[in-house]
Each structure stands twice: as C-alpha cells, then as structure tokens.
Amino acid sequence: MKRRHLNKAKRYRGLVFYLVLCISGSLYSTKASAQRTTESLNFGWEFRLNDEGEWKQVDVPHDFQIEQPWVAPAADEKADNTDVAANIKSRLSSRGFKEMGKGYYRLHYVPSEELRGQRVLLDFEGIMYTAEVLLNHQRIGGTNYGYVGFEIDITDSLRYGEDNLIEVVADTREPGNSRWYTGGGLFRDVRIVTTPKDLFFGRHPLYITTKENRFVSISAEFTNRTKDEATHIAVHILSPDNEIVYGDTIAIRRHKMTRHQEERIITDVRIPDPQLWDINRPRLYTVKAQLLREDGTVADETNDQFGIRTIDFGPDFGLKLNGRKVLLKGYANHHTLGALGAAAYPRAIEKRILLMKEFGMNHIRTSHNPYSRDFIKLCDKHGILVVDELYDKWTQQHTGGKVPFERHWQEEVPEWVKRDRNSPSVILWSLGNELQQDPNMPFNDFGVTMYKLQKTLLERYDSTRLVTVAMHPRYRNWETDSLPHDLAMQTDIQAYNYRYMYFPGDGRRFPWMTFYQSEASIAAMGPNFFEMDLDKVVGLAYWGAIDYLGESQGWPAKGWAQGVFDISLEPKPKAWLMRSMFKPEEPMVHIAVIDSKNDVMWNGIQTGNDGMSDHWCRQSGTQVSLITYTNADEVELLLNGKSLGKKVNPKDNPKQRNQIKWDHITYQDGKLEAIAYNKVPSSDQRHHSALSKLPDLQLKPVARHRIETVGKAVRLTATNEPIRWQADGTDLMHVRIEAVDSKGRRVPMAQDELRFEVTGDARIVAVTNGDINSDELNVTNRRHLWNGSAMVILRAGRQPSKITLTTRSDDFKAVKLQMETH
C-alpha cells in the first residue's frame, strides 16, 4: 500500500470534513453513527460467599477476600512465610491471613429488543482467581488465570426483552496457587459490548507503531461477513490537542479464503510537528477508525491512544528514551491497593502514581502479572515507564492452579500483548519471575524452551519491544555459581533480582548483556543504587516499596511491612532516602530516628528494615540514634537552637552516601532541626579565571527539616483530596483524619477509636491507618488512630450529591467534612 502523506491540501480538506461532521453530529459519517455500544455492568450485582447465607448487593470492582475475617496461625503452624521450601509456613500467611473460598455473583440483565440481530459480547477485564461464567444456568465460559481479560459471545444465548441471569463463580481455593494476597472475585470492570454481526472490529484490534519519532503505521483486525467485495476503513489521527493531523478512507479487499483478517491500513504516515511522549511531557495521540459499508454507513468503530517515542537498550548506556539516557528509578509491587484489596479503582491507582512521582520515581514493574488496563492508561497519562509482566513462575501452581500452565498460556500471551501494545508507557515485556527456583518447570531446562515459545508468540503481536524474565541469575547456588543462569543467556535484557553485584563480572565476560535490577532490596537502599554503574545500567525497581497484604514475615503482620510507604500510603522516614537518590537536583534533608532494627532474610536477601520514626516525642533523658537523609554536601544538627555539630555527606562511599549517622543524642523536649548545606564559590571568588587557583568555597543552606515535641491531642481534623469528585459510581475520595494539639500539629501518640458516618450518595468502601499489624478489618465504619492518623475511603454514587462525612470519638468533638460529587 502506498504512503499517504498529509499535504496542505489534504490537511485543509480534513479540517473542513471534520467541521462538517461535527455540525452534523457524527465524527466521520453523515449517513449513520457507529453501531458499536458499550454498557457497563459494574452495578447491581448480588453476592454471597461459598453459596451460603443471604445475598447482598455489591458493585464492581469488588474484592470478596478483603471483607473476610483475619485468620491467625494455628498452634502447630509457623507464624510466617519464610520457610517455603520446608512447607511449614502458616497456611494463610502468604495470602494475607484471609480464608480462601468461592464467591458467587449474579446479575439480572434485560437486553433491549433493539439488540436482536446484533452481535453481543460479555466482556470481563479479569476475575480473580479462576472462574466459571453462566448465563441462564448454562456454562458459557470462564478463566483459568484471572489477571487477563476475556470476552464471551452471548448473541445466541440471550433472551431479548426478557430477564436473563448472569452468574459468576470466582474461586481462590486451589492450594498454593499464589505466593501473595490476590483478592477474589469481580475485581475489574464488566461490560456488554455490541457490534453488527456482519462487519466488526476484533478484540483490541488496532496495532499502532511509530518510527524515527516521525512516522506512524496502523494495522487493524476485523471480520467481514458481508457480501460486499470491498470494505472501507476511515482512519483519523488526532493530536494531543485534539486536532486532526491525518485523515483518509482506505479500500480493503476481502480475502477470499477468510472472513477474519488483519490488515495494514496505513504505513509510515509522517506526522507534522510531532509532539513526543516523554516522562516529563507525556503527549498522547489518538487513532479513530471506522468500518464503512459500501453505502458509506458506519458499521463499527474503535479508537486507542498512542505516543510518539523511541526506546533503545544497549550495554553501553542502558536505556535511551527519544535518544536521551534515562535511568529507571522505580518499584515492583503486587497489583493490590492496600485497604481496598484487589479492587481496581482508577482513582486509587492514580493516587499511588502521583505519590511515586513526587518522590522521584519514573518506573513501575507490574510484578508478577498484568495490572488493570486503567493502570497502564494512567502510566501513559503521567509519564511512568512500565515493565509489563505476565506471570510469576510457569507452573500450574503459580498460574491459577486449575489446569496445567501448558494448556492456557497460548490464550493469555496474545490478550495481554494486544491490550497494552499501543501504550507508550510500556517499554519492555517480562514473561516471568524467578523461574529457576521451581523444580517443576516445563521441559526441565529452567525455562529456556518455554521462554522461546512464548517469545515467538508474543512477537507475532508486537515486534517493537524487547523481552525479558526477572530472575535470580545463579540457579544452582546463587552464592557460588560463576556463570549466569541459562535463561539469562537467552533474554533480550538481563533482569536480575537483587544480584546487581554480578553486573560488572557478567558484563566483562558477555559484553553484549544489558542489565536491569528488576528487584532491589529496601534494606540495601543506597548501596544497591550507588554501587551500580548508573551510566550503563537500565535502572532498578525497589521490591515492595509500598507495604501490601500477603507475604507476611510474621503474625500479627498481615503482609509485607518492609516498604518505605505504609499500607495507607504515608511515607516512612526511609522514603526520603529514596527521594534524595531519585531527585538529586532538589536539595533535601530529613531526620529519621532509629527505634529498632529488624533483620529478616527472604530468598537469601536481607529484607528487614530499620524501624524508624520522624517525630520528637520521647522520654526525657533517653539516648537516641538517628540518620539524616540528604543529597546535600553537609548537615548541621541543632537541638533547641544549640548546634550538635556538622557532618559531611560521605558521597564517595556508596554504602553510606546520603545517610549521615548521629549517635548518643540525649533527648530533650523542644525542637530538633537539621540544616543541609551545599558548597558554593564565595561571592568574591566567583569570577576567577581558569588559570587562577581554585576559588574558596563556602557553605550555603539549601534545605531544612525540623521535628518538635507536640502537646496533648485536643481535636480531630479531616482533610479530603483536592480533586473534582465524579458521581460515576466508582470514583473515590480519600479522607485523612488526624488528632492534633492546640497548635494544629499531629500527635503521634493518639490511638483513639474513630467511628464514621456518611450522608449523601456515597458510601465507605475501606478504612485504614497504616498499621499492618492491626487486627481491625478494612471494610467497616470504624478504625483506631495509629501514629495519630487514619484514613477513610469513600466511593461515590451515581447521583451528584452533597456529601457529609462525620467522624466521632469518645474523647474528641465530632468533626464534619462537607464535600460534593459532580
């Protein structure tokens, strides 16, 4: 097919065409609007657990596991999840101490008579963990691996104009089918999609690629069951400013031997004045495509966003984005969202992404499975670079537990790749994680053959990105083996979990290797960043940077507690070390008082974290040790205005860089302040010539952090997010409740129980306080303060409304917070 460059005349015609069609009420055609419809089925479901008890009404997204009681380890169980090999762990420690079960959902659906004659699809973005789907008591489909979506054609099964019963049975019970808390049930969106029967686009039909940051090519998958010899596809590309930059109608000849076809519809179209997608300016274009009948009416339409950008990997520079070196600075976590469990709320996802960006992160690895489509779209929107991962280990146990892995990966690879391949945030595909640690791998070759099979299928649907697997690079004995894992010799990128110390040696022996620290330990934060050759590596992802349910390292902790953000997203003191590393251009200092030391070994890695706090409310006369995290040159510490001395940031020592230790400080009530200084030329020495001696340097204060003794808590405050809260039935509002003293300062000792009431069209979906050891449930209307704080998460209804959240306590006056949904 010849190139169709958009010259000035065509650009003018396209603009006129666009204006005429907008006036007529249709974007592309004046004869008919597209017949595709999408209807949300997120609302009005009924649910009950284990087919017992009364049905209750729920809305999707919904996680039935998060509602269940905590189950403490039995007397004969080990209380943690650390001895996996010996199989003596607590039965539920990895699963968040929630009992596994079956969730039963049902929805009454009356399809309009107008849908008769249309093609009708039931679309699930995912069901956790495995599931069966029934329509009018007949099985019509299901999933063996609930992290990926699927659709079911129910055209011939529906009773039009009558009540139909849709049932879903979601099962999390398979023994050992996950190493972490997965949640359970309809945790992502459910939809009804309709198209014509004879001419329609496929599932995730567009494949949009860019080249040289100028050219765009588009392919489309569609089915033509008409008798027409020719089909036309109208294609438009809209700029980030919603202006048409390309428009054309292409004739597609029907293949005689097949009704379903994939067609390259435009090739190397040059985009005028391209606006590049980048982490600091993530500009998104949109492709809109329509299938046209011979008479010009629209049969079906689809659209997707994409970004114009280039990605390059190489052993000498790691990663380049648009020709510029970029270092991945990120984290790897599971898909769950704290107190919300696995329910995939876009607002909660966006809250995390914005928090990570605030602390300097530009990257997330979706360990160890695809996150929701909303997550990827939000990364597109906010400029986050994603390593998109499909699986943990390639065994039946770790991929649902229902059927052998070899029987279902062929369905999941295409669904996953086609869903995300147009997203510019996705820069690398990852097919698995730490495979060599499981003896039950297919083909008994530590994953090499299975990797090649999956990669071959993957590249059928996307050939623009490289492919990797996250691994411990030494599989027999990771302390003594001299050569990398066999699989590391096959992957496009060498992704090592924790073993960054092998990068130099492996790079010398195999100079073609490009290294990425796919998991990095929080306990070793600092050394595992500064000890890498940052000019050559791709970057790193800190494992479990946000505390999460599951993978408990000891009851009463309900999950992973080693992050730098607690489970309610409050930053712990060590988060500021990460910020000092990831944002070196912003001078900062932060005081972290050491309360305890917690050494825990996990997969041969120290994951225990320093127990720290950043308040100055202690017992008079006690001796404390602390760290000042800083990226400045020096720090001075002052206690009630008296200097305790200055210390130099040991920037030449990667093990201690940005971490200045202070010991034997006698606590006194009052104020402890850290002042950070940078060395700058003195004012009278700034204009020395290059031949003169080096100028004298002076210390200039560039950042401060102060903590102080607070008084007794006297009242509560409630603060909501500064967002426009949408009355769409799904949007969330996070409200932070704090106990403060007479000067409005948070009181960390306050532990009062709070009770919450809501009026208006909204409801409480979760409560939390950041304490992962708490025995309180998340789905309730009460919570104790922890460190003087708690959080309530409200879900909007579907009617714009005045909302009032009232917080009560036995010791404080009730506080009312007025809000509004739009």
Side-chain angles (χ1 to χ4, degrees):
M1 187 176 295
K2 66 180 181 179
R3 295 182 180 177
R4 291 178 171 84
H5 294 290
L6 191 64
N7 57 30
K8 291 183 179 179
K10 179 173 286 187
R11 208 178 309 171
Y12 176 78
R13 291 198 304 270
L15 179 58
V16 173
F17 183 55
Y18 174 74
L19 291 173
V20 169
L21 297 182
C22 284
I23 293 171
S24 69
S26 169
L27 183 56
Y28 303 116
S29 172
T30 59
K31 295 189 177 182
S33 60
Q35 296 181 33
R36 174 177 291 255
T37 64
T38 301
E39 177 186 355
S40 173
L41 290 188
N42 282 357
F43 306 105
W45 290 83
E46 293 179 300
F47 170 82
R48 67 180 178 182
L49 182 66
N50 296 329
D51 202 19
E52 301 169 353
E54 297 293 322
W55 291 92
K56 67 175 184 177
Q57 185 168 326
V58 299
D59 293 329
V60 173
H62 178 250
D63 174 8
F64 72 79
Q65 291 286 174
I66 196 69
E67 302 172 354
Q68 307 314 311
W70 306 113
V71 180
D76 59 347
E77 290 181 320
K78 192 171 182 177
D80 60 45
N81 192 41
T82 56
D83 197 352
V84 178
N87 199 29
I88 57 174
K89 63 180 179 179
S90 166
R91 181 175 61 91
L92 296 174
S93 61
S94 61
R95 307 302 297 276
F97 294 106
K98 298 283 189 179
E99 192 65 67
M100 300 299 101
K102 294 177 77 172
Y104 289 77
Y105 295 84
R106 68 185 187 188
L107 178 72
H108 291 273
Y109 174 63
V110 180
S112 168
E113 284 283 358
E114 296 177 358
L115 295 185
R116 194 184 298 274
Q118 294 285 90
R119 174 174 169 263
V120 184
L121 305 171
L122 183 55
D123 184 330
F124 295 94
E125 197 189 328
I127 307 175
M128 190 53 56
Y129 193 9
T130 63
E132 303 291 332
V133 181
L134 300 90
L135 178 62
N136 299 322
H137 308 295
Q138 300 296 314
R139 186 188 185 280
I140 56 172
T143 181
N144 296 313
Y145 183 64
Y147 289 107
V148 296
F150 62 99
E151 64 185 17
I152 306 169
D153 190 329
I154 58 174
T155 305
D156 298 329
S157 305
L158 278 176
R159 299 193 293 251
Y160 297 92
E162 302 178 30
D163 181 65
N164 291 259
L165 183 64
I166 301 172
E167 297 173 281
V168 175
V169 183
D171 197 344
T172 63
R173 298 174 308 160
E174 286 294 332
N177 67 356
S178 181
R179 299 186 295 119
W180 55 85
Y181 176 84
T182 61
L186 295 176
F187 74 128
R188 295 180 186 164
D189 290 337
V190 186
R191 306 177 184 90
I192 289 285
V193 178
T194 68
T195 73
K197 284 185 176 181
D198 59 347
L199 186 59
F200 54 87
F201 285 109
R203 183 171 174 83
H204 314 307
L206 297 180
Y207 181 30
I208 308 164
T209 59
T210 63
K211 185 171 65 175
E212 299 175 8
N213 279 346
R214 293 178 292 173
F215 301 107
V216 176
S217 299
I218 303 172
S219 298
E221 290 184 18
F222 60 94
T223 296
N224 182 5
R225 294 174 178 161
T226 70
K227 296 180 180 179
D228 300 339
E229 287 297 319
T231 299
H232 290 81
I233 298 182
V235 181
H236 284 73
I237 301 175
L238 278 65
S239 75
D241 303 312
N242 210 34
E243 297 176 349
I244 293 178
V245 295
Y246 172 87
D248 205 353
T249 301
I250 300 109
I252 303 294
R253 289 291 171 183
R254 177 175 166 181
H255 294 176
K256 293 183 178 180
M257 299 302 293
T258 180
R259 292 179 172 181
H260 176 78
Q261 60 194 85
E262 179 180 349
E263 196 79 30
R264 176 66 66 91
I265 53 180
I266 67 170
T267 302
D268 289 348
V269 167
R270 184 164 189 161
I271 300 299
D273 303 318
Q275 302 179 52
L276 302 188
W277 187 94
D278 211 312
I279 54 178
N280 298 318
R281 197 168 182 263
R283 304 292 280 165
L284 292 168
Y285 286 75
T286 302
V287 169
K288 296 193 174 184
Q290 291 183 318
L291 285 168
L292 306 178
R293 302 184 187 278
E294 280 193 332
D295 63 1
T297 57
V298 178
D300 196 8
E301 69 179 2
T302 189
N303 64 81
D304 205 356
Q305 290 187 309
F306 72 100
I308 299 174
R309 59 102 176 103
T310 57
I311 289 289
D312 298 293
F313 291 92
D316 297 327
F317 56 83
L319 167 66
K320 287 183 179 179
L321 174 62
N322 298 323
R324 184 186 84 257
K325 162 71 179 180
V326 171
L327 185 71
L328 293 187
K329 297 178 287 188
Y331 76 94
N333 255 65
H334 296 301
H335 69 106
T336 50
L337 299 171
L340 295 164
Y345 290 95
R347 180 69 73 185
I349 295 167
E350 187 168 39
K351 184 177 179 68
R352 290 184 169 221
I353 288 174
L354 292 176
L355 177 63
M356 297 306 108
K357 285 181 70 73
E358 179 185 343
F359 278 79
M361 291 193 181
N362 62 16
H363 161 56
I364 299 173
R365 171 181 165 226
T366 70
S367 43
H368 304 296
N369 40 259
Y371 288 11
S372 69
R373 180 60 189 155
D374 282 323
F375 166 83
I376 298 293
K377 290 166 67 176
L378 286 165
C379 289
D380 291 341
K381 174 183 175 181
H382 292 293
I384 296 293
L385 301 171
V386 176
V387 174
D388 204 347
E389 192 160 278
L390 180 58
Y391 296 120
D392 182 21
K393 305 176 194 335
W394 299 333
T395 69
Q396 178 172 338
Q397 174 186 348
H398 298 105
T399 57
K402 190 175 181 180
V403 299
F405 171 70
E406 294 89 332
R407 285 173 48 188
H408 59 92
W409 67 267
Q410 302 93 330
E411 300 173 359
E412 291 144 8
V413 169
E415 167 68 15
W416 166 61
V417 173
K418 290 170 67 178
R419 191 197 73 167
D420 291 345
R421 62 187 175 183
N422 295 330
S423 286
S425 62
V426 177
I427 61 168
L428 185 67
W429 302 115
S430 175
L431 287 167
N433 173 69
E434 296 182 357
L435 313 168
Q436 72 285 357
Q437 292 182 281
D438 195 291
N440 300 312
M441 290 296 301
F443 304 108
N444 198 32
D445 62 357
F446 296 96
V448 171
T449 300
M450 182 54 71
Y451 170 78
K452 292 179 178 179
L453 289 171
Q454 290 180 84
K455 184 183 178 185
T456 299
L457 180 59
L458 184 158
E459 290 179 338
R460 160 69 178 82
Y461 298 99
D462 179 46
S463 59
T464 67
R465 296 172 179 84
L466 299 183
V467 185
T468 193
V469 170
M471 65 192 84
H472 271 295
R474 273 55 173 173
Y475 59 83
R476 295 182 182 87
N477 186 323
W478 56 53
E479 299 295 343
T480 61
D481 274 11
S482 60
L483 291 176
H485 187 297
D486 295 348
L487 190 55
M489 308 297 286
Q490 302 294 329
T491 56
D492 296 332
I493 300 296
Q494 283 58 52
Y496 291 3
N497 287 355
Y498 308 105
R499 302 297 172 178
Y500 67 93
M501 63 287 296
Y502 294 145
F503 291 172
D506 288 359
R508 285 191 295 270
R509 284 175 290 187
F510 308 102
W512 49 269
M513 285 187 167
T514 303
F515 297 105
Y516 161 53
Q517 195 178 167
S518 39
E519 287 179 23
S521 168
I522 295 290
M525 178 177 282
N528 54 21
F529 182 77
F530 292 120
E531 288 181 350
M532 295 192 299
D533 186 341
L534 300 179
D535 292 329
K536 290 188 175 183
V537 298
V538 172
L540 87 179
Y542 278 108
W543 177 257
I546 307 173
D547 289 353
Y548 57 85
L549 293 176
E551 292 190 287
S552 170
Q553 295 179 331
W555 178 269
K558 307 307 185 295
W560 181 267
Q562 311 306 321
V564 296
F565 300 92
D566 70 29
I567 202 165
S568 75
L569 301 183
E570 284 283 89
K572 302 178 187 179
K574 204 164 189 176
W576 299 93
L577 171 60
M578 184 178 70
R579 182 167 178 155
S580 77
M581 296 154 42
F582 286 178
K583 282 189 166 183
E585 72 284 358
E586 294 185 11
M588 56 77 55
V589 64
H590 196 87
I591 301 169
V593 182
I594 300 173
D595 297 318
S596 63
K597 182 74 173 178
N598 180 25
D599 292 323
V600 178
M601 298 302 291
W602 181 274
N603 282 348
I605 302 299
Q606 181 184 328
T607 60
N609 208 351
D610 289 328
M612 294 180 175
S613 58
D614 48 11
H615 64 79
W616 198 241
C617 301
R618 300 172 191 278
Q619 201 166 26
S620 183
T622 57
Q623 296 282 305
V624 300
S625 294
L626 59 87
I627 295 175
T628 49
Y629 294 129
T630 188
N631 49 22
D633 294 330
E634 295 186 18
V635 170
E636 182 179 18
L637 199 62
L638 296 91
L639 179 55
N640 292 328
K642 180 181 178 180
S643 177
L644 302 181
K646 290 181 181 176
K647 290 192 177 185
V648 175
N649 184 354
K651 292 185 177 181
D652 293 334
N653 183 346
K655 293 188 182 301
Q656 298 178 10
R657 182 172 176 174
N658 289 13
Q659 306 178 64
I660 301 176
K661 182 80 177 297
W662 307 76
D663 289 316
H664 310 301
I665 296 173
T666 302
Y667 174 78
Q668 300 173 15
D669 287 353
K671 301 174 183 178
L672 183 68
E673 184 174 25
I675 305 175
Y677 298 88
N678 275 341
K679 295 178 180 179
V680 298
S682 60
S683 57
D684 59 345
Q685 296 280 335
R686 291 180 188 273
H687 303 295
H688 276 218
S689 70
L691 298 177
S692 64
K693 79 174 200 178
L694 292 174
D696 295 331
L697 298 178
Q698 65 179 6
L699 292 174
K700 176 184 177 182
V702 292
R704 296 172 183 262
H705 181 228
R706 185 175 71 185
I707 56 178
E708 54 189 315
T709 309
V710 301
K712 179 183 177 181
V714 297
R715 61 187 175 92
L716 299 173
T717 64
T719 307
N720 58 297
E721 298 171 285
I723 60 173
R724 184 176 174 85
W725 192 10
Q726 302 296 320
D728 61 4
T730 302
D731 199 14
L732 301 180
M733 177 63 74
H734 297 75
V735 179
R736 179 70 61 177
I737 312 295
E738 294 182 341
V740 299
D741 68 3
S742 60
K743 295 183 179 180
R745 302 170 297 187
R746 183 196 290 190
V747 180
M749 299 79 67
Q751 309 288 329
D752 301 75
E753 185 184 51
L754 308 178
R755 300 178 297 278
F756 309 108
E757 300 171 11
V758 179
T759 60
D761 193 18
R763 67 182 188 274
I764 297 170
V765 290
V767 294
T768 183
N769 60 13
D771 181 9
I772 206 162
N773 293 322
S774 174
D775 290 334
E776 296 176 296
L777 293 177
N778 298 111
V779 185
T780 182
N781 65 347
R782 58 184 59 220
R783 191 74 170 191
H784 280 82
L785 294 166
W786 185 66
N787 290 334
S789 171
M791 187 164 68
V792 186
I793 306 176
L794 306 178
R795 178 172 177 166
R798 289 187 283 174
Q799 296 297 324
S801 175
K802 302 285 186 182
I803 309 295
T804 300
L805 172 67
T806 302
T807 304
R808 305 182 189 278
S809 172
D810 292 341
D811 295 327
F812 302 110
K813 182 181 178 181
V815 59
K816 293 180 181 290
L817 180 64
Q818 305 287 340
M819 295 165 284
E820 187 175 1
T821 58
H822 302 270

